[in-house]
Amino acid sequence: LYEQLELDRFWEARLPDSREGTCWQHILQTLVCYRLIDPGSEWRLHRLWFEQSAMADLLGADYSLVEKNALYRCLDKVLPHKSALFSHLNQRWQDLFGARFDVLLYDLTSTYFESAPPEDENDKRRYGHSRDKRGDCVQVVLALIVTPEGFPLAYEVLPGNTADKTTLRMFLQKIETQYGKAQRVWVMDRGIPTEEVLEEMRAADPPVYYLVGTPKGRLTKLERDLLPLPWATVRPGVQVKLLPQAGELYVFAESRDRIHKERAMRRRKLKALVKRLQQLQQMKFNDTRQLLLKLGEAKGRYRAAWRLLGITLPEPQASGTTPESAVDVVNFLDGQLPAFKMGDVVARRKPHTGQRCITGGVLTGVARGRVEYGKQPTILCQDGAKTQFSFAVTNPALPRLILRHACLPR
């Protein structure tokens, strides 16, 4: 593969041997093979991988080829030829694979360092938004452009405090300078482009097209226009609505597989959170602060599911005890009615003020109600247009913890 891409010919004039006899081309070829076959650190290549491979026999070299300082110095020698290398690879991908470059995927990531902040102002290691949840570590931001087939076209290592929305304009100019003007489609996340940059892309000659996620705040404004539009089936399980507006085409997509996947993930998190909260119910706390710390820990661990719960800590009475007054019902509808159906057996329960209770033993109509979990579950119902259920659990220990969440389908 290295020779089919003609990398040996490309580097022949750019990486001559040193006066001391160091063969930089062989070192680079070893680094490339190592990355393709068994990727790891240069230190691991130096200490372990080279002696377990056949590279020494293939290249007619000895262990001195992978001296650790030579490995890092080789990377420094390659970096100035980055643009020429991408141009060379671009041509070879077209010749070998018929690759096209009219659709570009653009994204950013970051990698952190467990080291002290650098004193050099030109060092790119900086504190910034950490995608690895390591805000305590300095990092660098990596920006990459690839084709849908995975062929890279450009990359940059940026300072760790670089905002995503400040990078797109630079890469638009970089791609146009290196590969020329062309009608291209950029695909990226909603947080990368700004309205100003999108306007520049639309006004370019030729125009630069884009596919980007719509900001969530704008979806609310478009909801009224999207509702009356008909669905168009793209493939089984995927349907879309198309809304042309202000020179752009909004595509509202719905995937049944994605719905089922996200619903299953939400339920799994919700069940884990409820299990943890039920464990807290069995604990006894000397004061409310200890309980609040435990709740904060649970919220941090299950943040996505936490918003589906309603948790009420009643105001303590003067005596320091917790009143036993009822709590408000919190209802949650997960895109469809819960799996209660007509004919389900329900227990008798004295209704709360303003509510009507089913007095028989079965659910006989569409109703709104609450399921309370104690020794025996009960259903309180009143007439309504939909059916929603939630349940409340109380802990006899003080302070009392009252939990409420939607009843999952059985």
Side-chain angles (χ1 to χ4, degrees), residues 223-235:
E223 183 177 1
R224 181 177 300 178
D225 297 327
L226 286 169
L227 283 176
L229 295 179
W231 287 101
T233 301
V234 178
R235 62 175 184 267

Side-chain angles (χ1 to χ4, degrees), residues 31-65:
L31 284 167
V32 172
C33 293
Y34 173 58
R35 292 291 183 182
L36 287 174
I37 298 172
D38 187 17
S41 66
E42 283 74 14
W43 178 253
R44 177 171 172 267
L45 167 62
H46 164 70
R47 290 296 300 270
L48 180 64
W49 186 82
F50 184 79
E51 63 182 11
Q52 296 178 351
S53 70
M55 292 301 298
D57 298 329
L58 293 173
L59 299 177
D62 56 19
Y63 186 75
S64 62
L65 183 70

Side-chain angles (χ1 to χ4, degrees), residues 7 10-11 14 78-91 178-179:
L7 291 175
F10 175 82
W11 290 112
R14 293 174 174 84
V78 168
L79 185 59
H81 307 289
K82 181 174 66 172
S83 297
L85 175 61
F86 273 118
S87 298
H88 171 80
L89 291 175
N90 179 74
Q91 185 62 48
Q178 183 160 355
Y179 301 107

Side-chain angles (χ1 to χ4, degrees), residues 147-398:
T147 68
E149 294 79 18
F151 297 120
L153 295 182
Y155 81 92
E156 285 292 340
V157 180
L158 306 172
N161 55 2
T162 303
D164 292 358
K165 63 182 181 180
T166 63
T167 63
L168 179 57
R169 182 181 284 110
M170 174 188 66
F171 271 91
L172 288 170
Q173 297 173 351
K174 184 180 183 67
I175 292 297
E176 182 177 315
T177 301
Q178 183 160 355
Y179 301 107
K181 291 186 176 182
Q183 286 192 351
R184 300 184 177 94
V185 180
W186 288 67
V187 183
M188 48 199 158
D189 292 336
R190 65 165 56 95
I192 294 178
T194 62
E195 287 299 326
E196 181 182 356
V197 176
L198 292 180
E199 180 61 33
E200 294 175 2
M201 296 172 68
R202 292 190 292 266
D205 183 24
V208 181
Y209 300 100
Y210 54 85
L211 178 61
V212 61
T214 303
K216 294 183 179 180
R218 189 176 304 174
L219 289 177
T220 304
K221 300 178 181 179
L222 299 174
E223 183 177 1
R224 181 177 300 178
D225 297 327
L226 286 169
L227 283 176
L229 295 179
W231 287 101
T233 301
V234 178
R235 62 175 184 267
V238 179
Q239 52 186 359
V240 299
K241 290 184 177 183
L242 304 179
L243 175 63
Q245 191 175 93
E248 295 180 313
L249 178 63
Y250 291 90
V251 181
F252 181 71
E254 181 183 78
S255 169
R256 299 306 304 174
D257 291 340
R258 183 64 180 265
I259 291 175
H260 296 329
K261 177 183 177 180
E262 292 188 354
R263 185 172 294 159
M265 294 169 57
R266 185 161 53 246
R267 288 173 180 167
R268 185 170 63 250
K269 292 289 186 180
L270 188 58
K271 288 179 180 179
L273 177 56
V274 171
K275 180 179 179 181
R276 175 55 180 164
L277 293 176
Q278 289 175 340
Q279 292 175 351
L280 296 181
Q281 289 180 310
Q282 307 303 320
M283 302 180 184
K284 293 185 178 180
F285 302 94
N286 296 327
D287 55 60
T288 307
R289 290 178 297 178
Q290 296 180 2
L291 174 59
L292 293 177
L293 289 174
K294 296 291 185 180
L295 290 176
E297 179 187 5
K299 180 180 179 180
R301 184 179 303 176
Y302 307 103
R303 189 173 299 276
W306 185 269
R307 58 187 177 86
L308 306 179
L309 295 181
I311 298 181
T312 299
L313 293 175
E315 293 293 335
Q317 296 178 343
S319 60
T321 61
T322 305
E324 299 185 5
S325 58
V327 298
D328 295 333
V329 177
V330 173
N331 293 317
F332 171 67
L333 194 60
D334 189 15
Q336 61 182 10
L337 298 180
F340 286 96
K341 60 184 182 299
M342 306 307 171
D344 283 352
V345 177
V346 296
R348 297 184 180 182
R349 172 80 177 189
K350 182 178 179 180
H352 288 241
T353 304
Q355 291 183 331
R356 297 188 314 179
C357 179
I358 292 180
T359 57
V362 296
L363 182 64
T364 58
V366 178
R368 182 185 301 274
R370 177 175 68 190
V371 181
E372 297 192 1
Y373 273 43
K375 293 183 178 180
Q376 297 293 333
T378 61
I379 302 178
L380 295 178
C381 299
Q382 63 181 6
D383 295 338
K386 295 181 180 179
T387 302
Q388 292 179 305
F389 295 93
S390 63
F391 70 81
V393 184
T394 60
N395 182 4
L398 293 178

Side-chain angles (χ1 to χ4, degrees), residues 393-410:
V393 184
T394 60
N395 182 4
L398 293 178
R400 185 179 299 274
L401 172 63
I402 302 178
L403 312 176
R404 303 161 297 169
H405 74 81
C407 180
L408 297 175
R410 296 185 300 183

